[in-house]
Amino acid sequence: MKKNKFYITTPIYYVNDKPHIGHAYTTILADVLSRYHRAEGDEVFFLTGLDEHGQKVQQAAEARQLSPQEHCDDLAPRFLGLWEKLEIQYDDFIRTTQKRHIAVVQQALQQVYDAGDVYADEYEGWYSVAEERFITETEKDSGSFRDIKKLKERNWFFRMGKYQKKLIDHIHEHPGFIQPGQRRNEVLGFLRQPLGDLCISRPKARMGWGIDLPFDKDYVTYVWFDALLNYITGPGYLADQKSFKKWWPASVHLIGKDILTTHAVYWPTMLFALGLPLPETIFAHGWWLMGKTKISKSLGNIVNPLDLIDEYGVDSVRYYLMREMVLGQDANFTMESFIKRYNSDLANDFGNLLNRVSGLIGKNFDGFVPEHGKMTDEEDHIKEEAVRLDPKVKKSVSEMRLDGAMEDILQLIRQVNKYLEYQAPWKVAKTDLGRAGTILYTATEALRICAVHLFPVMPFKCKAVLDILDNAGKGTQWGGLKKGAKLKSHEALFPRLEVPKQ
Ligand code: MSP
């Protein structure tokens, strides 16, 4: 069978501060999607990394009295450390100060320059220091830009406007290119105005932390023109043609909704100019909010969701983030909703099912998985639901509805718990041990299948469940449970949490 390839990226993160929930969320999401695809047998390339150039990083370094490179070298391990803690299985970690990337940026610039898509011009306009770019009169009047000043400068421009029509056509011809649909409409709305050219240089006299323009050494490259190219550096644009051909175009660029224009307008026009195909999908997710505020750096005395990892374990945080955010919409983080979700789904449903089956098999079968006898309609029903879960989860994952996939799995777990309550194998065992065995086999097999489905989201805990069930095999087919296997004794996987007093 031909394997599908799946190339997924996260944004590369600015190293102006330590990592926060926004960084962690997208990276966990990419990891979960990668793991689902790997489990389906796809070949996966998962790229993440750091955006190390530009004014924000330069300013952050200055504030710490370090050179920008020292500052980046100091912060990079914190991101890597967090990825390790979060169980992120990336395939490549790119830093834009790496030689391989600088070479790609300079080659790309030279290519667009040689093709006549770059020109120098004197430009006077409003410049947002915070956004690091010239803004239009309308943008200025919108009041949403800080640190604005009038700036007159000679700079290099990329003929982005030239590709406007081609981009609009592409968006119309490829409905899945920008997702969800609301973001697609936003981009099409933006493209109703004439698309100007893009200033892609910064004079070194003003901002020197960037990649030199190959055709004018007095300038460095605008940080976004540099950063976006990471997506082709990763798979080997210059270094390894064979690998590049294999992986490009990317299957999904995951991004937050605030960086939609750079990804859905700048990046495709750059790719047009380079003569490269466009990514299949750009998917913009919403924000994690606390109240009405976007969670970003440390929010004073408010709980930092990443601190929850040490207290409640990485898997519960991964589960919460995947379950609570409907992809594309904003989600609200509250300690209360975290504890509620944990207690209901993980402690009461998933953890409880494991405790029940292992306890009952321990008591009635000395811990050995029983044989199943004749299956009644009740067992057949559980089996059917467990078999149906596979296409359901696949569909939800392919449609980027991870909250839906989690819900489907949890529904089966709840159903099995109900089945156990109704069948009461603890009573049945007293008169008909064979029948009790059939019930417990059915419940344990359904639990095993759910654990395999939940594995990409909770790799530690699901591995623990599969170890307890003495089942290293990861298949989701009914019948994978080894009869006669000895269950291992275990602690509660998800001890109930106390709801903190207000
Ligand atoms: N360096 C650029 C990306 C370049 S990609 C070629 C950048 N970096 S960032 O570190 O500022 O932000 C990275 C991502 O974090 C963005 O996708 C942004 O949407 C996301 N988040 C930051 N805060 C967030 C939340 N509170 N919630 C969810 N994601 C948010 O932009």
Side-chain angles (χ1 to χ4, degrees):
M1 203 179 80
K2 193 178 167 293
K3 283 189 182 177
N4 289 322
K5 64 122 231 198
F6 184 71
Y7 170 24
I8 185 165
T9 67
T10 72
I12 48 171
Y13 306 114
Y14 284 130
V15 273
N16 48 355
D17 206 340
K18 50 185 196 308
H20 59 71
I21 183 84
H23 308 135
Y25 174 69
T26 323
T27 314
I28 294 172
L29 176 60
D31 183 60
V32 167
L33 291 167
S34 298
R35 284 172 186 262
Y36 273 118
H37 279 269
R38 279 192 214 111
E40 276 170 35
D42 293 348
E43 266 190 287
V44 173
F45 183 60
F46 166 13
L47 176 71
T48 185
L50 300 177
D51 192 352
E52 301 195 341
H53 290 124
Q55 184 173 275
K56 284 185 192 151
V57 175
Q58 186 178 353
Q59 282 170 346
E62 272 163 18
R64 297 176 69 207
Q65 294 180 324
L66 293 175
S67 74
Q69 191 63 63
E70 279 169 339
H71 165 80
C72 294
D73 292 346
D74 181 51
L75 282 183
R78 298 199 201 184
F79 282 84
L80 286 166
L82 180 63
W83 300 159
E84 202 177 314
K85 201 165 162 180
L86 288 170
E87 277 288 290
I88 306 296
Q89 287 185 343
Y90 53 83
D91 295 294
D92 194 358
F93 184 79
I94 189 166
R95 297 179 56 184
T96 52
T97 50
Q98 287 166 342
K99 279 204 192 86
R100 59 172 173 161
H101 181 66
I102 296 172
V104 167
V105 173
Q106 293 192 322
Q107 145 84 27
L109 283 163
Q110 192 65 51
Q111 193 183 325
V112 285
Y113 176 85
D114 291 343
D117 271 352
V118 171
Y119 61 92
D121 198 9
E122 179 103 347
Y123 182 81
E124 182 169 20
W126 295 104
Y127 186 81
S128 155
V129 181
E131 285 282 313
E132 259 180 274
R133 66 175 176 94
F134 282 100
I135 55 172
T136 61
E137 206 59 47
T138 332
E139 282 178 322
K140 176 184 162 278
D141 294 340
S142 74
S144 34
F145 290 85
R146 290 170 295 123
D147 288 342
I148 301 173
K149 59 181 184 189
K150 198 91 204 211
L151 200 68
K152 186 173 177 180
E153 233 172 44
R154 177 182 176 271
N155 265 307
W156 290 92
F157 291 82
F158 164 55
R159 292 188 200 282
M160 184 161 73
K162 172 176 156 186
Y163 296 102
Q164 178 164 9
K165 172 145 189 335
K166 196 166 171 179
L167 178 56
I168 296 173
D169 290 347
H170 184 89
I171 298 173
H172 284 301
E173 282 155 22
H174 300 84
F177 176 53
I178 302 168
Q179 293 185 41
Q182 167 206 358
R183 303 289 167 216
R184 177 173 183 264
N185 293 340
E186 232 174 71
V187 174
L188 284 170
F190 177 84
L191 288 170
R192 258 179 235 127
Q193 305 293 324
L195 184 61
D197 289 342
L198 181 68
C199 177
I200 56 161
S201 66
R202 296 292 181 263
K204 277 187 188 167
R206 181 160 67 76
M207 212 293 293
W209 180 235
I211 298 176
D212 282 0
L213 292 188
F215 42 81
D216 190 340
K217 297 286 182 238
D218 291 336
Y219 291 82
V220 293
T221 313
Y222 169 46
V223 67
W224 273 102
F225 197 92
D226 157 355
L228 288 160
L229 288 163
N230 93 85
Y231 300 133
I232 60 171
T233 304
Y237 179 53
L238 278 186
D240 186 346
Q241 270 306 307
K242 199 167 154 232
S243 154
F244 182 69
K245 269 216 169 87
K246 170 173 175 183
W247 294 111
W248 191 259
S251 315
V252 190
H253 289 321
L254 286 179
I255 58 166
K257 62 180 182 180
D258 49 329
I259 52 175
L260 181 64
T261 310
T262 46
H263 280 80
V265 179
Y266 297 6
W267 180 225
T269 56
M270 287 166 65
L271 289 165
F272 283 146
L274 289 168
L276 291 172
L278 305 194
E280 280 158 33
T281 296
I282 296 166
F283 193 101
H285 63 71
W287 285 343
W288 281 97
L289 307 173
M290 269 187 186
K292 288 207 164 82
T293 322
K294 177 182 176 198
I295 306 178
S296 53
K297 299 165 196 171
S298 65
L299 279 176
N301 56 357
I302 302 172
V303 178
N304 174 357
L306 294 181
D307 293 342
L308 300 180
I309 300 168
D310 293 327
E311 213 165 332
Y312 305 110
V314 64
D315 281 9
S316 15
V317 175
R318 285 173 63 113
Y319 179 79
Y320 172 79
L321 294 176
M322 294 302 110
R323 175 64 188 84
E324 285 293 312
M325 183 173 267
V326 177
L327 263 174
Q329 296 173 20
D330 291 342
N332 227 305
F333 174 84
T334 63
M335 207 44 219
E336 207 190 343
S337 72
F338 175 78
I339 292 183
K340 237 173 143 174
R341 185 57 79 187
Y342 174 100
N343 278 343
S344 67
D345 293 9
L346 302 182
N348 292 359
D349 296 338
F350 189 35
N352 189 28
L353 179 57
L354 173 70
N355 289 347
R356 276 173 149 176
V357 296
S358 72
L360 288 165
I361 291 179
K363 196 163 165 222
N364 296 291
F365 298 92
D366 291 331
F368 292 98
V369 173
E371 288 277 335
H372 67 77
K374 188 176 163 355
M375 309 260 285
T376 69
D377 286 355
E378 303 290 332
E379 283 75 47
D380 282 342
H381 186 58
I382 296 285
K383 180 180 167 183
E384 271 160 31
E385 291 296 318
V387 170
R388 273 186 42 201
L389 191 57
D390 206 46
K392 269 197 202 166
V393 171
K394 278 196 181 117
K395 183 161 186 291
S396 299
V397 169
S398 72
E399 291 169 357
M400 308 283 270
R401 288 187 301 105
L402 285 169
D403 62 313
M406 297 303 97
E407 192 45 33
D408 286 341
I409 304 168
L410 261 292
Q411 257 177 28
L412 179 60
I413 291 178
R414 279 181 219 122
Q415 203 181 341
V416 179
N417 272 323
K418 280 209 188 95
Y419 160 79
L420 281 178
E421 273 152 39
Y422 185 70
Q423 296 293 330
W426 49 91
K427 281 191 204 151
V428 176
K430 291 182 191 146
T431 52
D432 187 347
L433 203 58
R435 172 74 195 138
T438 303
I439 299 166
L440 287 171
Y441 176 88
T442 306
T444 313
E445 175 58 340
L447 167 69
R448 185 194 69 81
I449 288 175
C450 291
V452 176
H453 280 300
L454 285 170
F455 195 92
V457 178
M458 295 189 283
F460 278 127
K461 295 287 185 183
C462 293
K463 181 172 181 307
V465 174
L466 295 171
D467 282 348
I468 292 164
L469 302 184
D470 188 23
N471 191 288
K474 291 194 180 158
T476 51
Q477 308 261 355
W478 185 268
L481 185 65
K482 281 189 270 170
K483 285 159 210 157
K486 175 96 171 105
L487 302 194
K488 295 190 185 64
S489 60
H490 64 94
E491 311 262 299
L493 270 195
F494 299 100
R496 258 190 88 79
L497 300 178
E498 287 305 315
V499 181
K501 297 204 173 57
Q502 294 298 320

